[in-house]
Amino acid sequence: MWRPCGVIDETYEQDLAIVRTFPQWTLTVAALGALALLPAYVSGVTLNTVNHIAITIVALHGVNILTGLTGQITLGQAAFMAIGAYSMEMMVRYWGLSFWIATPIAMLITGVAGVIIGLPSLRIKGFYLAMATLAAQFIVPWIIVNVRPDLTGGTDGLTVSPPSIGGLQLTSQESIFYLCATVAVFSTVFARNIARSRYGRAFIAIRDNDIAAEIMGIAVVRYKLLSFFLCSLYAGLAGCLYAIWMRGISVEHFTLHESIWYLGMLIVGGMGSVVGVILGAIMIRSLTILVTYIGPWIAVFLPPGTGTVLELGLGPIVFGVVVLAFLIYEPHGLARIWERFKAFYRLWPYSY
Amino acid sequence: MLFLQYLVAGVLTGGLYGLIGLGIVIIYKSTKVFNFAVGALMTFCALVCVALVTNVGLPFWLALPISLAFAAFLGLLTERVGLRPLLAQPILTLIMATLAIESILYGTMLLFWEGYTISFPQGVLPGQTIFLGPIFIPHEFLYAFIVATACFVLVGVFFFKTQMGLRMRVTAESHVVAMALGINITRIFAMSWMLATVVGALAGIFIGNRLGLQVAITPSLAFKALPAIIFGGLDSLAGAIIGGLTVGILEKMAAGYIDPKVAEITPYIILLLVLLIRPQGLFGEERIERI
Amino acid sequence: MLVVQQIEVFFQHVIQVLKGVSLTVPPGQIVCVLGANGAGKSTTLKAISGLLAAEDGRVTDGLIEFDGKRIDNRLAHDVAGMGITQVFEGRRVLEHLTVDENLRAGNLGGTRGMQSKLEQVYSIFPHLKSLRKKAAGWLSGGEQQMLVIGRAIMADPRLLLLDEPSLGLAPLLVKEIFATIERINREFSTAILLVEQNAARALEIASYAYVMENGRIVMDGEAQVVKENPDIKEFYLGLGEFGTRKSYKDVKHYKRRKRWL
Ligand SMILES: Nc1ncnc2c1ncn2[C@@H]1O[C@H](COP(=O)(O)OP(=O)(O)O)[C@@H](O)[C@H]1O
Ligand SMILES: [Mg+2]
């Protein structure tokens, strides 16, 4: 971890702090305050997008732990989210559990499923593992749709009734926003702490060279599976949030393309960086929204009737181009650009 | 008798999987890049071929070579724009690059063809379904199988009997040694992408003839070829065809004896099993480690 | 034929490895480069053959000429096409290809003259002929060394760059390899730039020698002259100055030693 000059720790508490200097504290409080007041200023449509971003951030933290820190490529995050969402809804629906109890259980279920899918990672790496997770991405929705369609609603999916807290039903985008934002903030703090703990360092050691890590005395098997577990835990949580945000679930929402997009966001944000997760999720999700606004604009110049198609097709194109551009020109992602900006800001007007 | 019917159907589908797998293997063999965009590339080229036949009104025998030329161009473009700048990057970067390309192609296809099912006009391929007693053989698949076999033989001869093929194999072994031996490796990369995309396009065109093409669905057919090549071993040509046939046959057997629904995920279950039991596949090159 | 003038080489724009190296290889001669590990000998060869780029290295200053044409920072396959072939340190055979295919891969042109060239190589290394269908990865160290030299000859080079061909081989094989190098030079009048740790043998077959240290040439001369140099004798040929035991208290000696290694 790099720190600016002049920041000197005098106690262990200081050394361990995430938020360190006075300006940082001010900024953090201001940012959280702004977040809390956000619903008062923006429209419901925008809030809807913000909620989607918050949910994405939660899911993406999982991908970051597994792929960014531990180096195990996953093409199955969306499938894990599906496991979380469906097991939550089934428990609420058929066992009458409340959302607040069902969610942690669903997260655990997803975590265990993640460990099972992670088992091949003990033998294989690289794109072999990518393919194992890809297989999971196809098998999980199939199981959901075909094994007990009477329970899961098959291809139609299920509607999800909004949970309530202390008599208040979480129906409005606003109330869902407070839930999602709180969860996203805590997920971020937790992810940050994992990254800098013993576990995080073990994950990074495995990513950089698993054989060397083994020789250094890191229990590679345990940590790889732990990494899958944590990743799926996040996925399960994100899936539950997604269910109540969408007010319904269907396997259509948890496709391979969704999983690919998570990886892409991680590239754009910056592999292995908690800040990158946030920046990547915001950038890609906002870009797609932007495209839906720009689409009709461009459509003016095209023959009539192509407008809606433009909206459909432009999203994946923009996503692909952005990801490819980042891979080629800034493989460390937005997080690195942010670091450079901070360094520039600190040193200005000097060059170093 | 049913068994025979399933077997024939499996072999014919397996030929297609093998053909798609061949495209992946060609690229992997010379560049060590695993091409996840193969499905989108193949669908794109097949759709172009359909457009040439239905919209432009060209006869099929003329549209075919034009669309194959387009495939070669598309492969070249993909390599130049997407992968050339990323030479010798980590695996994740390469996987992501092919996925990004897949996304771009997917979006572009949506722009032109939306979500409709698009197929060739009836009777583009001469002939009709053949009945051999109780067994019926769709003639489109028979053509596909013959072309697949021909492709395998040609590519095999190319790789193992020609100097250019030898150079591709040298490049696959070691880029640095290849360079020192006077091989222009960037040209090899471009060539293998072109060749692979053409092979993929052939597969796509045959799929289009029999099943129709749908932007959202057809590309994922290519993912069913993944277990085929993993099963056969990633860098083995013979493995691709044998793997393709095995997966095709198992899929049709599952469809016949268990449930057509189970057939949808049979290839992925095979994939997981192979990855768990023998990741290097049946015919993959053994890692030579002398001490 | 080959002229290297004051080249400087940087890796990744910051690591300077060569600090002004000059050397000349006249047509049809064997020239050897001696030097400790990490002196920059391999880097010099890669600078000539154009393979630096593969390791993110560049010739930033000076020039390399082959037959009067500038070849510094040219693409490796162009350089190879001009008649310069490099044999890597550490026997980089193409493991999964057979011996025969390894040799064929060395042929630059089409298949014309392939058979006669193959016969030529097999006549120099008769032992390889019995192994022609075997995967190169399974060959022994000596066989692999023969194979990579044979592969280089297939290209019909006018200048052969050999990087430590005797590394890790048994004495008898070393002798054989050096005899072969001399033979290639004699029969095909190929010029050879030979990098070696085995100074005694290298100086025997070379006509001219350079000694390299820390990215610079620190000594050069006719092989016979270099061989007689007392420092070379002591530090490369392992012959004590007066055949007596050395004392590390001898400050002068220590300084000299430090200069060399
Ligand atoms: N790709 C590279 N990047 C950075 N440094 C390198 C690279 N290749 C070689 N070096 C450095 O250059 C120096 C000379 O290496 P080399 O030419 O291989 O020495 P020699 O062949 O004489 O033993 C060494 O200190 C080595 O660490
Ligand atoms: Mg060396």
Side-chain angles (χ1 to χ4, degrees):
Chain A
M1 207 171 4
W2 293 331
R3 284 164 197 172
C5 290
V7 178
I8 296 160
D9 301 317
E10 282 162 0
T11 63
Y12 282 114
E13 286 75 32
Q14 279 179 351
D15 192 42
L16 287 174
I18 294 181
V19 183
R20 316 176 61 83
T21 58
F22 180 71
Q24 276 182 355
W25 268 112
T26 342
L27 277 176
T28 312
V29 171
L32 287 178
L35 202 58
L37 295 177
L38 191 68
Y41 293 100
V42 301
S43 68
V45 179
T46 316
L47 212 53
N48 193 31
T49 310
V50 174
N51 285 344
H52 194 190
I53 292 176
I55 295 168
T56 307
I57 288 175
V58 176
L60 204 51
H61 277 310
V63 183
N64 188 38
I65 289 172
L66 186 57
T67 305
L69 293 182
T70 324
Q72 313 293 305
I73 302 166
T74 174
L75 286 172
Q77 188 72 349
F80 289 137
M81 284 175 69
I83 296 178
Y86 270 90
S87 43
M88 184 275 290
E89 174 56 20
M90 312 261 274
M91 280 186 277
V92 171
R93 188 174 279 250
Y94 302 111
W95 293 350
L97 292 183
S98 94
F99 171 79
W100 311 104
I101 296 174
T103 298
I105 303 177
M107 283 166 66
L108 279 181
I109 294 174
T110 318
V112 173
V115 170
I116 294 170
I117 300 293
L119 284 177
S121 76
L122 304 181
R123 289 200 61 185
I124 53 182
K125 300 192 258 198
F127 47 67
Y128 287 97
L129 183 61
M131 264 179 258
T133 54
L134 183 94
Q137 175 66 58
F138 282 102
I139 293 173
V140 168
W142 185 90
I143 292 176
I144 291 174
V145 171
N146 290 305
V147 173
R148 289 297 298 272
D150 50 325
L151 296 183
T152 58
T155 40
D156 299 334
L158 299 167
T159 52
V160 176
S161 49
S164 59
I165 182 165
L168 174 79
Q169 280 237 319
L170 299 184
T171 43
S172 64
Q173 279 300 331
E174 229 167 273
S175 52
I176 294 176
F177 166 78
Y178 282 113
L179 175 65
C180 291
T182 316
V183 172
V185 168
F186 277 104
S187 307
T188 305
V189 174
F190 186 65
R192 180 84 192 87
N193 278 334
I194 288 179
R196 63 196 196 132
S197 68
R198 185 157 61 95
Y199 302 104
R201 288 191 298 275
F203 290 158
I204 291 171
I206 292 171
R207 174 189 70 191
D208 290 346
N209 188 333
D210 53 353
I211 294 172
E214 180 95 60
I215 292 167
M216 276 158 59
I218 293 169
V220 171
V221 170
R222 218 173 64 213
Y223 280 106
K224 270 188 182 171
L225 293 182
L226 178 68
S227 180
F228 268 94
F229 180 73
L230 288 170
C231 169
S232 321
L233 223 52
Y234 272 107
L237 181 57
C240 295
L241 292 176
Y242 192 90
I244 58 165
W245 172 66
M246 274 307 262
R247 300 267 193 83
I249 43 177
S250 139
V251 286
E252 305 271 291
H253 298 146
F254 306 104
T255 58
L256 173 65
H257 272 122
E258 226 8 66
S259 290
I260 295 175
W261 278 53
Y262 285 121
L263 264 190
M265 285 182 218
L266 202 58
I267 299 277
V268 170
M271 279 283 157
S273 152
V274 172
V275 179
V277 164
I278 298 171
L279 296 178
I282 294 177
M283 165 135 181
I284 295 292
R285 289 288 184 223
S286 339
L287 261 181
T288 40
I289 299 295
L290 207 64
V291 164
T292 54
Y293 283 111
I294 294 176
W297 252 52
I298 304 176
V300 174
F301 303 101
L302 296 175
T306 43
T308 48
V309 187
L310 209 59
E311 244 169 59
L312 268 181
L314 224 47
I317 295 179
V318 169
F319 168 78
V321 170
V322 168
V323 170
L324 207 53
F326 267 93
L327 283 174
I328 295 171
Y329 298 109
E330 186 46 278
H332 298 285
L334 288 168
R336 178 59 62 85
I337 294 176
W338 170 240
E339 287 294 327
R340 275 207 299 268
F341 168 76
K342 278 203 299 195
F344 172 80
Y345 161 82
R346 277 188 199 120
L347 300 170
W348 194 84
Y350 306 107
S351 50
Y352 53 85
Chain B
M1 259 309 90
L2 267 181
F3 175 80
L4 222 53
Q5 172 69 62
Y6 299 147
L7 190 66
V8 168
V11 167
L12 295 178
T13 330
L16 272 179
Y17 289 158
L19 199 54
I20 299 170
L22 181 64
I24 299 176
V25 171
I26 290 172
I27 291 177
Y28 184 79
K29 254 188 111 62
S30 56
T31 67
K32 289 279 180 284
V33 170
F34 194 91
N35 181 15
F36 277 100
V38 64
L41 284 167
M42 130 193 139
T43 313
F44 203 139
C45 299
L47 283 168
V48 166
C49 188
V50 177
L52 286 175
V53 173
T54 47
N55 301 9
V56 184
L58 294 181
F60 181 68
W61 57 264
L62 193 60
L64 183 69
I66 295 178
S67 51
L68 292 186
F70 172 78
F73 169 74
L74 196 62
L76 184 69
L77 191 73
T78 308
E79 197 272 336
R80 272 291 149 84
V81 177
L83 289 135
R84 180 77 55 87
L86 294 172
L87 219 63
Q89 294 289 312
I91 279 172
L92 174 60
T93 307
L94 298 176
I95 290 182
M96 206 52 228
T98 61
L99 288 174
I101 290 162
E102 196 256 4
S103 194
I104 295 173
L105 292 171
Y106 174 68
T108 316
M109 285 190 288
L110 277 180
L111 285 189
F112 286 105
W113 290 281
E114 304 179 42
Y116 306 126
T117 303
I118 289 155
S119 23
F120 285 94
Q122 278 293 310
V124 158
L125 289 173
Q128 48 187 267
T129 304
I130 302 161
F131 292 92
L132 280 180
I135 304 162
F136 72 94
I137 304 171
H139 65 292
E140 295 99 336
F141 274 13
L142 196 60
Y143 279 117
F145 190 75
I146 293 167
V147 170
T149 315
C151 277
F152 270 100
V153 173
L154 284 178
V155 172
V157 168
F158 175 70
F159 264 107
F160 290 98
K161 295 282 180 244
T162 69
Q163 185 74 2
M164 190 47 110
L166 179 60
R167 285 186 189 156
M168 282 197 169
R169 286 191 294 147
V170 171
T171 311
E173 287 267 325
S174 159
H175 293 172
V176 176
V177 171
M179 280 153 74
L181 294 179
I183 296 172
N184 185 347
I185 58 169
T186 49
R187 201 154 81 209
I188 297 281
F189 290 173
M191 277 200 43
S192 44
W193 271 88
M194 286 162 67
L195 185 62
T197 315
V198 169
V199 169
L202 275 173
I205 288 168
F206 284 113
I207 291 173
N209 261 303
R210 176 70 192 167
L211 305 170
L213 300 159
Q214 205 175 344
V215 175
I217 294 174
T218 314
S220 65
L221 278 185
F223 288 129
K224 292 195 178 175
L226 297 184
I229 51 172
I230 296 289
F231 187 67
L234 255 183
D235 37 24
S236 158
L237 296 178
I241 185 88
I242 295 173
L245 291 178
T246 314
V247 172
I249 292 170
L250 286 177
E251 189 191 54
K252 292 298 170 203
M253 294 288 170
Y257 288 114
I258 307 173
D259 188 334
K261 287 217 175 82
V262 177
E264 289 167 25
I265 53 160
T266 310
Y268 302 111
I269 293 173
I270 300 174
L271 175 60
L272 272 185
L273 287 179
V274 174
L275 285 176
L276 275 172
I277 296 163
R278 201 178 149 83
Q280 76 274 33
L282 293 181
F283 302 92
E285 277 175 354
E286 251 180 284
R287 293 249 307 276
I288 294 183
E289 281 175 65
R290 287 188 76 252
I291 301 172
Chain C
M1 177 154 76
L2 177 79
V3 180
V4 176
Q5 256 179 40
Q6 290 296 328
I7 56 165
E8 302 199 347
V9 166
F10 281 81
F11 282 108
Q12 285 123 43
H13 301 285
V14 284
I15 308 167
Q16 183 171 19
V17 173
L18 298 189
K19 304 156 186 164
V21 168
S22 305
L23 51 83
T24 318
V25 182
Q29 306 244 337
I30 301 182
V31 173
C32 76
V33 178
L34 309 175
N37 279 323
K41 308 180 299 294
S42 300
T43 306
T44 309
L45 294 193
K46 285 178 207 159
I48 297 169
S49 62
L51 284 165
L52 280 180
E55 298 180 34
D56 199 10
R58 262 188 83 78
V59 179
T60 54
D61 202 6
L63 62 88
I64 305 174
E65 269 179 4
F66 184 62
D67 286 343
K69 281 191 224 85
R70 289 280 294 262
I71 58 165
D72 36 307
N73 294 324
R74 285 280 289 273
L75 292 171
H77 58 89
D78 286 343
V79 177
M82 293 169 76
I84 299 180
T85 302
Q86 180 174 4
V87 175
F88 294 99
E89 192 175 348
R91 308 191 272 279
R92 305 275 292 271
V93 295
L94 302 161
E95 292 182 340
H96 296 104
L97 272 53
T98 64
V99 168
D100 213 46
E101 287 169 336
N102 262 274
L103 293 178
R104 284 169 187 273
N107 191 359
L108 287 180
T111 41
R112 257 184 305 116
M114 179 75 90
Q115 217 50 45
S116 66
K117 278 187 197 166
L118 273 176
E119 287 313 317
Q120 215 170 39
V121 171
Y122 285 135
S123 75
I124 296 174
F125 301 108
H127 183 55
L128 286 183
K129 192 158 188 175
S130 58
L131 301 167
R132 46 192 308 176
K133 294 287 171 224
K134 206 168 170 181
W138 299 116
L139 265 51
S140 74
E143 291 160 350
Q144 291 190 343
Q145 187 62 53
M146 292 175 194
L147 181 57
V148 287
I149 294 178
R151 190 174 69 194
I153 301 171
M154 288 295 289
D156 246 342
R158 286 187 299 138
L159 174 62
L160 190 56
L161 309 174
L162 286 177
D163 201 348
E164 308 206 12
S166 73
L167 191 70
L169 296 184
L172 216 58
L173 279 172
V174 173
K175 202 172 157 193
E176 204 180 319
I177 291 285
F178 276 100
T180 317
I181 295 172
E182 231 183 338
R183 180 168 164 202
I184 292 167
N185 170 256
R186 212 165 354 104
E187 279 184 21
F188 310 121
S189 55
T190 312
I192 295 175
L193 181 56
L194 172 67
V195 163
E196 254 308 329
Q197 298 273 0
N198 190 333
R201 293 218 178 269
L203 287 172
E204 255 169 43
I205 62 168
S207 56
Y208 204 87
Y210 293 87
V211 180
M212 204 170 182
E213 186 184 313
N214 276 327
R216 290 193 177 86
I217 300 283
V218 289
M219 176 191 269
D220 68 297
E222 299 290 331
Q224 293 311 316
V225 180
V226 170
K227 199 156 49 177
E228 295 308 319
N229 182 298
D231 287 337
I232 296 291
K233 261 189 169 165
E234 187 174 349
F235 303 127
Y236 285 93
L237 303 176
L239 305 168
E241 208 163 352
F242 303 108
T244 55
R245 266 172 59 200
K246 280 161 258 153
S247 157
Y248 282 94
K249 282 182 201 143
D250 185 345
V251 178
K252 196 175 147 220
H253 167 92
Y254 174 71
K255 269 191 179 155
R256 259 180 45 207
R257 183 166 181 84
K258 206 173 142 210
R259 225 190 86 218
W260 282 114
L261 296 179

